[in-house]
């Protein structure tokens, strides 16, 4: 029998195997009862089932934080990385294994503080991966410190009298970076919208950035208490090319705006909306250049040819 090549392994068929939601579950989540991460995990596992993603061809990469425990609860490949370093790890995976389904799960501290530089360049590289920013507006794992997305006046262990600086806006920030291609926002207490948003992100050919506003029942109990019960507290951005909800789910919104996601300027305008939280697809460009496509040109090169190419380059420095 001849030796299998890398391409042979990547293209092996799994026949008629049908995966259930349980096939993607692993372990018992250790998040607090009522934590929004639980619902987001359920949505992702449902997506994997609906899309029949092969577990061994799917990988979840995370950094550090409550949200970053996500790979532990997915029966797929996973990489629990360093604080703020999820993006370069995921990019490395996608660069050399473009056949894999790559997801990044990060938090507001992990992404928007120590990981900011990686986040900015990952947007620009536009490699084909689904990114979930689980934003609870606080450092939860290290027990209630002000995060980059904490609202002014938020009382925490680092700012007992209230934070003094305005928060970063992850949607506006992403929309401001060159080559952004998919930018969306949802809230964990609207499960239908969460699922449809993550589904649209997965189907997008490029870097899909989804900010999920989520509840922290331990340290930010009051953050969304009135928002959840007030129908006017959310504004649904909808369009035939946006996040699609059925009629029943759409009736749960009092404020609905038709927004064409190809209009980045309008998307930036809605990202700055105050008084009501906008959720939906702010911007999408399916034709933005992707760095993973550039890097995939030599994936099929035989090992012998790679070694020859490397030696040829090293010979340039011979004395």
């Amino acid at each position: 029998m001849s030796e299998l090549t890398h391409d042979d392994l990547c293209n092996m068929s799994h026949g008629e195997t049908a995966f259930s939601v349980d096939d993607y579950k692993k372990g018992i989540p250790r998040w607090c009862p009522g934590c929004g991460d639980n619902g987001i995990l359920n949505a992702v596992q449902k997506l994997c089932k609906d899309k029949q993603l092969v577990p061994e061809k799917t990988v979840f990469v995370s950094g550090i934080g409550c949200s970053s425990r996500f790979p532990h609860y997915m029966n797929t490949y996973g990489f629990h990385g360093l604080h703020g370093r999820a993006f370069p790890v995921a990019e490395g995976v996608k660069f050399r294994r473009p056949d894999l389904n790559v997801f990044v799960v990060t938090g507001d501290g992990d992404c928007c503080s120590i990981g900011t530089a990686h986040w900015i360049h990952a947007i620009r590289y536009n490699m084909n991966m689904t990114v979930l920013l689980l934003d609870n507006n606080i450092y939860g794992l290290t027990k209630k410190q002000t995060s980059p997305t904490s609202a002014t006046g938020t009382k925490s262990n680092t700012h007992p009298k209230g934070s003094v600086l305005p928060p970063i806006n992850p949607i506006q920030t992403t929309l401001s970076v060159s080559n952004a291609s998919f930018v969306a926002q949802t809230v964990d207490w609207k499960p239908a919208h969460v699922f449809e948003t993550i589904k649209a992100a997965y189907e997008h050919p490029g870097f899909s950035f989804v900010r999920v506003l989520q509840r922290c029942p331990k340290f930010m109990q009051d953050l969304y208490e009135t928002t959840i019960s007030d129908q006017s507290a959310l504004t649904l951005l909808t369009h035939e090319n946006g996040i699609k909800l059925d009629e029943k789910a759409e009736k749960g919104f009092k404020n609905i705006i038709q927004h064409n996601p190809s209009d980045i300027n309008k998307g930036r305008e809605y990202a700055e909306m105050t008084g009501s939280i906008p959720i939906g697809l702010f911007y999408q460009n399916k034709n933005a250049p992707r760095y993973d496509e550039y890097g995939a040109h030599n994936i099929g090169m035989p090992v012998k040819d790679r070694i020859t190419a490397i030696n040829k380059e090293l010979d340039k420095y011979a004395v």
Side-chain angles (χ1 to χ4, degrees):
M1 180 177 178
S2 60
E3 184 178 351
L4 291 175
T5 67
H6 172 271
D7 289 339
D8 292 331
L9 291 171
C10 290
N11 294 320
M12 287 179 69
S13 171
H14 284 258
E16 298 301 319
T17 300
F19 299 103
S20 69
V21 170
D22 289 339
D23 289 319
Y24 301 100
K25 294 181 178 180
K26 183 180 180 181
I28 300 174
R30 295 176 57 189
W31 295 311
C32 300
C35 174
D37 289 349
N38 293 289
I40 300 164
L41 175 65
N42 290 338
V44 170
Q45 290 170 340
K46 182 178 184 299
L47 171 76
C48 290
K49 186 267 295 182
D50 286 4
K51 293 294 184 180
Q52 286 294 287
L53 302 188
V54 179
E56 60 266 33
K57 296 192 72 173
T58 304
V59 57
F60 283 79
V61 181
S62 67
I64 296 295
C66 292
S67 62
S68 292
R69 292 197 58 80
F70 212 96
H72 293 265
Y73 310 134
M74 292 297 302
N75 190 30
T76 62
Y77 280 111
F79 194 107
H80 193 165
L82 299 174
H83 202 191
R85 307 301 187 251
F87 290 117
V89 172
E91 288 164 336
V93 171
K94 192 65 181 180
F95 201 66
R96 303 322 297 167
R97 287 297 302 273
D99 58 301
L100 297 182
N101 305 298
V102 179
F103 293 79
V104 175
V105 182
T106 183
D108 43 303
D110 189 57
C111 175
C112 306
S113 183
I114 190 171
T116 303
H118 294 306
W119 169 34
I120 298 300
H121 288 289
I123 298 167
R124 188 171 66 94
Y125 287 176
N126 190 36
M127 298 176 75
N128 190 21
M129 60 184 67
T130 305
V131 178
L132 305 179
L133 167 60
L134 310 190
D135 187 357
N136 57 15
N137 290 196
I138 202 74
Y139 280 95
L141 189 68
T142 48
K143 310 300 184 285
K144 199 177 182 180
Q145 292 83 29
T146 303
S147 95
T149 61
S150 298
T152 305
T154 299
K155 294 183 179 180
S156 70
N157 291 329
T158 45
H159 293 91
K161 295 183 179 180
S163 58
V164 297
L165 297 176
I168 193 171
N169 182 331
I171 297 296
Q172 186 67 279
T173 300
T174 305
L175 287 169
S176 71
V177 178
S178 173
N179 211 38
S181 70
F182 184 102
V183 186
Q185 181 163 271
T186 186
V187 292
D188 79 73
W189 57 93
K190 291 290 186 180
H193 195 268
V194 171
F195 174 76
E196 292 298 334
T197 303
I198 296 175
K199 177 184 175 185
Y202 171 76
E203 293 173 346
H204 173 74
F207 185 89
S208 305
F209 181 82
V210 178
R211 182 195 189 194
V212 186
L213 299 177
Q214 59 137 133
R215 295 163 289 178
C216 174
K218 181 67 175 178
F219 300 118
M220 299 293 280
Q221 301 95 328
D222 302 328
L223 179 60
Y224 296 119
E225 185 176 5
T226 57
T227 305
I228 294 172
S229 58
D230 182 3
Q231 281 192 326
S232 64
L234 296 178
T235 294
L236 178 67
L237 303 181
T238 186
H239 189 269
E240 61 181 357
N241 296 325
I243 308 302
K244 297 178 177 63
L245 290 180
D246 61 34
E247 186 177 347
K248 183 178 179 182
E250 204 167 283
K251 285 183 178 179
F253 295 91
K254 186 176 180 179
N255 305 321
I256 300 178
I257 294 176
Q258 286 287 325
H259 166 57
N260 187 336
S262 66
D263 189 342
I264 192 170
N265 292 321
K266 268 294 182 182
R268 290 167 177 161
E269 181 181 321
Y270 291 134
E272 291 293 331
M273 182 184 294
T274 58
S276 181
I277 300 172
I279 64 172
L281 182 56
F282 291 80
Y283 179 65
Q284 182 175 26
N285 177 8
K286 296 181 180 180
N287 298 315
R290 287 168 41 195
Y291 196 66
D292 53 318
E293 290 186 323
Y294 161 79
H297 70 276
N298 66 345
I299 289 293
M301 181 184 291
V303 173
K304 181 180 178 181
D305 291 348
R306 295 186 190 191
I307 294 175
T308 300
I310 291 173
N311 286 331
K312 183 179 180 180
E313 290 300 310
L314 292 177
D315 286 344
K316 295 178 181 179
Y317 301 97
V319 178

